Amino acid sequence: MPSLLVTGGAGFIGSNFTHWVLDNTDATVTVLDAMTYAANEASLAQLPENRFQLVRGSVCDADLVDDLVSRHDAVVHFAAESHNDNSLAGPAPFIETNIVGTFTLLEAVRKHDVRLHHISTDEVYGDLGLNDPAKLTPQTRYNPSSPYSASKASSDLLVRAWVRSFGVQATISNCSNNYGPRQHVEKFIPRQITEILQGRRPKLYGDGLNVRDWIHVDDHNSAVWTILESGRIGETYLIGADGELSNKTVIQLILELMGQPTDAYDHVNDRPGHDLRYAIDATKLREELGWRPTYTNFRAGLAATIDWYRANESWWLPHKEATEAAYAAKGLCG
């Protein structure tokens, strides 16, 4: 029975990955999480005690990381500060967690010769033009535009260097925007859903024409498992499900699915450096490793996500007031 160490496993994607692994494989999972505001222990409730353990701690804690890595067969590295608006207001935690934390983990897997898969983002590549037919590929030049994406680009380059310089057994994946259950209410889709559930009008940055390439979190995580099992060491795989939609289209679809007029939202000033468009070319992942997404109908996946937030108010409500207060305090209302 393989043993996995999952960093950041109490966050959105990491907690869903933990559920996916326990539901679909015979592996055991240890989650290492600093339990910052974006983590939620409730996301890991009722997991089997004989196959799951939660360790509270930082990925920057070298002694803790070294000990945990030495006792596991593989590491999946989700731990990251990941909210663009927060990186604009205060970049320091992004440098510490995303760069120093990745370095700390790389030194541990190097020492103990443990397999590593590093989770990254399409934002390291910068944005594409709205009318550009091109998509992002593993060969696209890095061009990050925020402290968040710059810190993730830095962590990717560290992984590549440790593979080449020290023979670390690592792969990288860069994924497009995830949606699904257990996502913090600061993020675009759950924020709009919970605003409507609380009787308020959702807010949209600028003209809302910015395009994101949406993928259901379960599809992301099935791809990660495929790469962990079959990916070529040193390679980068882009994960996407051909889900390009403008933010305006998404907010209108949320309103429609929740029984509201599709124009029942407010425009607010755009945020600095707001990337225009992301679009993933996942050909390498699909052709080389045979992966395919399950959630190919965004409308159906979004409806299921709305249903989850309706049914799990106790999960998100404790975080909602603080999230909205933080937006207001920073003057970031969208």
Side-chain angles (χ1 to χ4, degrees), residues 85 185-196 198-208 247-252 254-255 262-271 274 320 323-325 327-328 331-334:
D85 287 341
V185 291
E186 71 182 3
K187 298 293 188 175
F188 179 69
I189 285 179
R191 190 174 184 216
Q192 314 313 325
I193 293 169
T194 54
E195 286 291 87
I196 295 167
Q198 292 197 315
R200 293 190 293 270
R201 290 167 63 92
K203 299 177 178 66
L204 185 64
Y205 278 133
D207 58 16
N247 290 344
K248 181 178 180 179
T249 298
V250 172
I251 204 169
Q252 289 176 335
I254 291 171
L255 286 161
T262 57
D263 60 353
Y265 63 90
D266 298 320
H267 291 274
V268 296
N269 291 334
D270 210 348
R271 75 178 183 214
H274 195 179
K320 181 64 175 173
T323 297
E324 297 305 322
Y327 268 107
L332 297 167
C333 299

Side-chain angles (χ1 to χ4, degrees), residues 251-288:
I251 204 169
Q252 289 176 335
L253 184 54
I254 291 171
L255 286 161
E256 178 190 339
L257 290 170
M258 297 183 73
Q260 302 291 317
T262 57
D263 60 353
Y265 63 90
D266 298 320
H267 291 274
V268 296
N269 291 334
D270 210 348
R271 75 178 183 214
H274 195 179
D275 290 339
L276 291 176
R277 172 176 165 259
Y278 290 103
I280 288 286
D281 181 347
T283 299
K284 178 178 177 180
L285 174 65
R286 297 187 187 201
E287 292 187 352
E288 185 175 308

Side-chain angles (χ1 to χ4, degrees), residues 11-263:
F12 165 45
I13 306 177
S15 65
N16 279 285
F17 178 75
T18 299
H19 280 268
W20 190 96
V21 169
L22 294 175
D23 288 344
N24 292 280
T25 79
D26 64 354
T28 64
V29 176
T30 299
V31 164
L32 171 64
D33 202 295
M35 302 307 293
T36 60
Y37 80 95
N40 192 333
E41 191 169 355
S43 296
L44 301 170
Q46 299 179 328
L47 292 176
E49 293 182 2
N50 64 325
R51 295 178 59 205
F52 168 75
Q53 179 186 11
L54 171 62
V55 176
R56 292 171 176 80
S58 171
V59 72
C60 298
D61 183 337
D63 290 338
L64 175 61
V65 168
D66 183 84
D67 176 61
L68 289 171
V69 168
S70 72
R71 295 189 279 114
H72 290 83
D73 299 317
V75 181
V76 182
H77 180 35
F78 288 97
E81 294 285 344
S82 64
H83 196 274
N84 264 309
D85 287 341
N86 292 346
S87 80
L88 295 169
F94 293 77
I95 305 305
E96 180 70 13
T97 300
N98 299 355
I99 300 177
V100 177
T102 300
F103 162 74
T104 303
L105 189 60
L106 282 166
E107 287 293 85
V109 298
R110 172 190 175 193
K111 176 181 176 181
H112 298 288
D113 193 25
V114 170
R115 172 80 166 90
L116 170 69
H117 182 67
H118 173 66
I119 306 295
S120 191
T121 171
D122 56 1
E123 295 191 39
V124 300
Y125 298 108
D127 57 348
L128 300 165
L130 290 179
N131 298 314
D132 186 346
K135 293 188 175 186
L136 302 173
T137 76
Q139 288 73 45
T140 302
R141 181 176 66 90
Y142 275 27
N143 187 29
S145 59
S146 71
Y148 161 60
S149 55
S151 68
K152 289 299 291 183
S154 300
S155 69
D156 291 5
L157 295 177
L158 286 175
V159 174
R160 292 182 184 181
W162 260 243
V163 170
R164 181 166 179 173
S165 298
F166 305 118
V168 164
Q169 301 293 295
T171 46
I172 299 171
S173 59
N174 300 80
C175 191
S176 55
N177 285 57
N178 281 226
Y179 73 98
R182 306 183 187 94
Q183 187 172 26
H184 194 283
V185 291
E186 71 182 3
K187 298 293 188 175
F188 179 69
I189 285 179
R191 190 174 184 216
Q192 314 313 325
I193 293 169
T194 54
E195 286 291 87
I196 295 167
L197 288 175
Q198 292 197 315
R200 293 190 293 270
R201 290 167 63 92
K203 299 177 178 66
L204 185 64
Y205 278 133
D207 58 16
L209 298 182
N210 306 68
V211 170
R212 298 294 178 262
D213 192 349
W214 293 99
I215 183 172
H216 193 279
V217 65
D218 286 348
D219 281 335
H220 181 186
N221 288 329
S222 71
V224 168
W225 182 262
T226 299
I227 297 166
L228 188 64
E229 281 198 314
S230 307
R232 288 184 291 135
I233 298 302
E235 291 296 311
T236 294
Y237 296 89
L238 268 59
I239 304 174
D242 300 320
E244 283 187 70
L245 292 168
S246 72
N247 290 344
K248 181 178 180 179
T249 298
V250 172
I251 204 169
Q252 289 176 335
L253 184 54
I254 291 171
L255 286 161
E256 178 190 339
L257 290 170
M258 297 183 73
Q260 302 291 317
T262 57
D263 60 353

